[in-house]
Amino acid sequence: MPSQKALEAKQQAVEEIKAQLTSAVSGVFVDYCGLTVEQDTLLRNKLREANVEYKVVKNTLTRLAAKEVGLDGLDEVLNGPTALATSKEDEVTAAKVLADFAKDNEQLEIKSGFLDGKVVSLDEVKQLAATPSRDVLIAKVMGSLNAPVSKLVRTLQALVDNGVEPCDIQKAPAEAPAEEPAAE
């Protein structure tokens, strides 16, 4: 029977994992086995720069915490060495950083993930990683909204540069009727 101190430490670890799972908008579980110390340090630095929390977790404690927060379906991926990367701000950041790192480092294996309180499969994590970030999507929408106005301004400026003032532009006269054929 484990000591009271060991039980309290495990309960505290479960509470920490629960807090990490509930405060995150998305997360990705990975198998990091086979990474060198340099590769792991590089990965952790990239995740830190992207404001993603990354931590090696115990499968049994993570399984308990996941069930308590309603993330059922993680039992099959919680085996072997497991690390959890979570993002509190952006849904795609954790998946994108890990997928980019996994392209160059085959030892890193993405297992599964979660998004908005639901477990997602490996394919869905890969789709999430391929999705542009929120800032990029906002920039694209703003660019598409800005394009018609910019085009109008450039057209008006071209007219002014060619010596035509916008107020001088008048509606072109209607086409003159075609000449009638000469009477015989």
Side-chain angles (χ1 to χ4, degrees):
M1 178 99 174
S3 70
Q4 184 66 23
K5 192 173 185 178
L7 284 175
E8 288 175 5
K10 288 182 181 183
Q11 288 172 343
Q12 178 65 27
V14 169
E15 291 300 319
E16 288 174 8
I17 295 170
K18 274 177 39 180
Q20 187 177 1
L21 293 173
T22 55
S23 65
V25 292
S26 69
V28 179
F29 293 95
V30 296
D31 180 350
Y32 59 89
C33 189
L35 289 179
T36 64
V37 173
E38 289 117 14
Q39 291 171 326
D40 188 52
T41 304
L42 179 64
L43 173 62
R44 287 175 185 269
N45 288 338
K46 287 182 179 186
L47 290 167
R48 196 174 300 116
E49 288 171 6
N51 206 16
V52 174
E53 186 176 345
Y54 179 79
K55 156 180 184 180
V56 173
V57 292
K58 290 191 174 279
N59 293 325
T60 306
L61 301 179
T62 305
R63 197 174 287 120
L64 290 171
K67 284 183 181 177
E68 287 186 31
V69 298
L71 288 174
D72 298 327
L74 288 175
D75 288 344
E76 59 199 39
V77 298
L78 291 175
N79 51 38
T82 304
L84 172 61
T86 56
S87 176
K88 294 180 181 179
E89 299 168 357
D90 191 7
E91 289 83 358
V92 301
T93 304
K96 187 175 288 300
V97 172
L98 289 169
D100 288 344
F101 190 82
K103 286 179 189 174
D104 298 331
N105 301 282
E106 295 174 3
Q107 299 88 352
L108 184 73
E109 178 188 341
I110 297 174
K111 294 180 173 185
S112 181
F114 66 92
L115 177 65
D116 294 327
K118 296 178 185 167
V119 177
V120 294
S121 68
L122 175 61
D123 292 334
E124 291 170 319
V125 171
K126 288 180 180 179
Q127 281 182 327
L128 193 62
T131 304
S133 69
R134 182 175 187 262
D135 293 338
V136 171
L137 291 174
I138 288 173
K140 285 183 178 183
V141 168
M142 295 306 292
S144 66
L145 292 175
N146 193 23
V149 174
S150 297
K151 186 175 179 181
L152 174 66
V153 168
R154 284 192 300 273
T155 303
L156 292 175
Q157 186 62 44
L159 290 173
V160 169
D161 291 345
N162 290 332
V164 179
E165 291 294 324
C167 59
D168 294 341
I169 299 174
Q170 295 178 358
K171 191 173 185 180
E175 287 186 28
E179 291 184 27
E180 295 194 21
E184 291 182 21

